[in-house]
Amino acid sequence: MSAYAKPVEVLIDELGRLPGIGPKSAQRIAFHLLKADRVDAQRLADAVVELKEKVAFCETCFNVAEGDECTICGDPRREQHVLCVVEEPKDIAALEKTGAFNGRYHVLLGAINPLEGIGPEQIKMRELALRVAQDDITEVIICTNPNLEGETTAAFIANKILAPFEVKVTRLASGLPVGGDLEYADELTLGRALEGRQAL
Amino acid sequence: MALYRDDGVVLRNYKLGEADRIIVLFTRTRGKVRAVAKGVRRTKSKFGSRLEPASILHAQFYEGRNLDIVTQAETLTVLPQLRSDLSRYGRAAVMLEIVDQITEDGGVQPALYKLLTGALAELDRNGNPLVLPAFVVKILALEGVQPLLDSCVSCETADNLIAIDIAQGGVLCRACRAGEPISDIARAALQAIMDGRVRYVLDSTDDQTARQLESLSARMIEQHLERRLRSSPVVDQHLTQ
């Protein structure tokens, strides 16, 4: 027999299915909600329902969007001919915080990972080729993660997907993080930092 | 709780929590080990690229109750071409998946460790497509299931060996033929690999035979594992074309 009332048990089970939430955390959140004002709990419930009802992937770039088009694709002030390719919608948030990019995005919704059986068909690679072919793109900036999957995806885009197009293909620079110590840098990062050194 | 050090090859990794990863390593003296690398996904992580798949490294671990924790790591062999060349990385991914599948946690196999590190280094050096079939044939030999190549598996004759049947475990003569055709050159290359003349095969085999052996070896290992390799279709269709 369960120690808790059925609705509490159900909530703990549901919260426990979320990423990074274990049974103890799920129990703590459930009891927090039990103690919270009804208004606060309702606001959370409404936010979850609204998220599922109103938010989907942008039909153009596959960023999260309220409606068919995301705010970036719908903004006429953004540069129309430069495309930044990222793995996930949350990468867009990180790039937007820099304020250094004013073009548009293309979200792949993943990266090529042979060890997981994920190839180009499982991500939005064909859609990228279609956009470059149709949207008069002049530069594609590949901003996939600097790990093995991201590097493989970047090489595949540059060598296979964009090879037939007359488009400038660039990759985010790779090197040492600001604030770190040189002695802890791994060989690959340090090697790339040396290759990409700049005149002062 | 004890600290220990070992050499190893990173077979794969999984995301864990906000910034960690579980790293699966095939180590020289402890076999397959699963360990948590804390903060490895942060850009300022001290591990950098050292814990990426196919890295050959020397690491220090903190023994945990369920999973160990990687506390330090340094690269033993730098393999720059594996990261920059799609076909080399693709073939390396197949090798890593095979080793992940045939090993069990804690199962020490020094010969397999030597074979894997040697094959990864060779693949990085020259990208020869035959490295993968040679690796597979050597693994099958280590597992005791190498194909019979010098006589028919059905009637034992050594003449007119024209076919190979993976399920039967070797070549067949014209009278008993089953499975698929195999050329004399491909059969000789497989035999040379099993006889330890891998360097000769890598240097002398033509592209067509290499492709035939690559396809054949993938099916041989799948037969042995009794499952399909997840990496193989991705690599064949997209990364090695």
Side-chain angles (χ1 to χ4, degrees), chain A residues 20 87-88 90 112-122 145-149 151-153 155-157 159-160 177-180 183-189 192, chain B residues 11-14 17 21 43-50 52-54 74-75 78 80 82-84 86 89-90 93-94 96-97 230-231 234-235 237-241:
Chain A
E87 288 181 19
E88 300 291 344
K90 57 194 176 192
I112 295 174
N113 186 353
L115 288 165
E116 297 293 335
I118 300 173
E121 305 97 341
Q122 280 79 38
N145 288 330
N147 54 27
L148 201 48
E149 295 84 39
E151 298 286 350
T152 306
T153 309
F156 188 83
I157 292 172
N159 300 337
K160 311 253 173 172
V178 177
E183 64 173 307
Y184 291 112
D186 66 291
E187 297 73 14
L188 198 74
T189 308
R192 286 195 182 174
Chain B
L11 298 180
R12 61 187 305 164
N13 55 35
Y14 310 87
R21 279 186 193 275
T43 49
K44 279 193 189 175
S45 164
K46 62 182 176 183
F47 296 119
S49 67
R50 295 183 186 106
E52 295 277 296
E74 61 178 309
T75 307
V78 182
L82 281 194
R83 289 181 71 98
S84 57
L86 284 174
Y89 168 59
V94 177
L96 299 176
E97 186 182 355
R230 281 198 287 189
S231 54
V234 178
V235 173
Q237 288 165 31
H238 302 289
L239 303 188
T240 55
Q241 296 304 309

Side-chain angles (χ1 to χ4, degrees), chain A residues 7-101:
Chain A
V8 179
E9 195 74 20
V10 170
L11 182 60
I12 291 173
D13 284 351
E14 289 302 321
L15 289 169
R17 289 152 59 116
L18 298 174
I21 307 283
K24 280 286 179 195
S25 302
Q27 189 176 296
R28 200 166 60 247
I29 296 167
F31 276 93
H32 171 80
L33 290 170
L34 199 59
K35 283 186 200 164
D37 285 348
R38 186 185 173 82
V39 178
D40 290 340
Q42 188 62 50
R43 201 166 51 237
L44 176 65
D46 290 346
V48 174
V49 171
E50 194 176 358
L51 174 83
K52 293 310 290 177
E53 282 178 352
K54 292 187 178 170
V55 179
F57 290 115
C58 171
E59 288 181 353
T60 310
C61 74
F62 304 100
N63 186 11
V64 286
E66 201 175 338
D68 295 340
E69 199 173 49
C70 72
T71 50
I72 294 173
C73 288
D75 185 349
R77 291 167 300 175
R78 311 257 333 183
E79 168 67 62
Q80 303 292 305
H81 306 293
V82 183
L83 208 56
C84 180
V85 181
V86 296
E87 288 181 19
E88 300 291 344
K90 57 194 176 192
D91 298 331
I92 292 182
L95 285 161
E96 285 295 290
K97 272 189 206 164
T98 66
F101 179 67

Side-chain angles (χ1 to χ4, degrees), chain B:
Chain B
M1 299 288 180
L3 284 173
Y4 67 93
R5 293 178 181 199
D6 209 340
D7 298 340
V9 179
V10 178
L11 298 180
R12 61 187 305 164
N13 55 35
Y14 310 87
K15 286 182 182 175
L16 176 72
E18 197 165 311
D20 307 340
R21 279 186 193 275
I22 295 174
I23 312 291
V24 183
L25 297 112
F26 182 56
T27 63
R28 188 192 293 272
T29 63
R30 291 187 175 231
K32 194 155 78 176
V33 167
R34 290 168 203 274
V36 177
K38 291 189 177 288
V40 71
R41 285 156 59 201
R42 296 188 202 281
T43 49
K44 279 193 189 175
S45 164
K46 62 182 176 183
F47 296 119
S49 67
R50 295 183 186 106
L51 298 176
E52 295 277 296
S55 296
I56 302 173
L57 49 88
H58 179 75
Q60 178 171 281
F61 303 86
Y62 183 82
E63 221 167 89
R65 256 185 306 185
N66 298 317
L67 292 167
D68 298 346
I69 296 170
V70 188
T71 55
Q72 290 176 28
E74 61 178 309
T75 307
L76 284 180
T77 313
V78 182
L79 306 171
Q81 299 300 325
L82 281 194
R83 289 181 71 98
S84 57
D85 183 308
L86 284 174
S87 61
R88 287 181 209 203
Y89 168 59
R91 291 186 174 107
V94 177
M95 289 184 196
L96 299 176
E97 186 182 355
I98 292 169
V99 174
D100 191 26
Q101 289 299 322
I102 62 169
T103 53
E104 290 180 1
D105 289 6
V108 184
Q109 297 189 54
L112 181 58
Y113 179 81
K114 195 175 166 194
L115 179 63
L116 178 61
T117 51
L120 288 173
E122 183 64 28
L123 194 60
D124 180 74
R125 232 185 338 266
N126 63 24
N128 192 320
L130 273 168
V131 174
L132 178 56
F135 176 77
V136 168
V137 171
K138 287 284 188 187
I139 281 198
L140 292 173
L142 281 177
E143 297 274 295
V145 289
Q146 69 269 40
L148 188 65
L149 298 166
D150 52 3
S151 61
C152 174
V153 286
S154 181
C155 68
E156 297 185 3
T157 179
D159 301 324
N160 288 322
L161 301 171
I162 59 156
I164 183 164
D165 187 2
I166 294 166
Q168 291 190 56
V171 292
L172 293 128
C173 66
R174 190 176 298 280
C176 309
R177 67 175 177 265
E180 59 193 283
I182 185 169
S183 65
D184 283 346
I185 301 171
R187 188 172 60 81
L190 283 177
Q191 187 65 60
I193 292 166
M194 290 208 307
D195 294 344
R197 290 180 286 131
V198 177
R199 172 61 53 199
Y200 165 75
V201 175
L202 292 179
D203 293 342
S204 63
T205 308
D206 62 278
D207 288 351
Q208 194 184 346
T209 308
R211 275 196 295 277
Q212 186 186 4
L213 291 180
E214 196 164 19
S215 155
L216 187 63
S217 66
R219 279 173 286 127
M220 280 178 181
I221 196 73
E222 285 177 344
Q223 170 83 15
H224 176 57
L225 295 170
E226 296 182 349
R227 68 184 288 278
R228 301 297 302 270
L229 291 170
R230 281 198 287 189
S231 54
S232 204
V234 178
V235 173
D236 289 347
Q237 288 165 31
H238 302 289
L239 303 188
T240 55
Q241 296 304 309

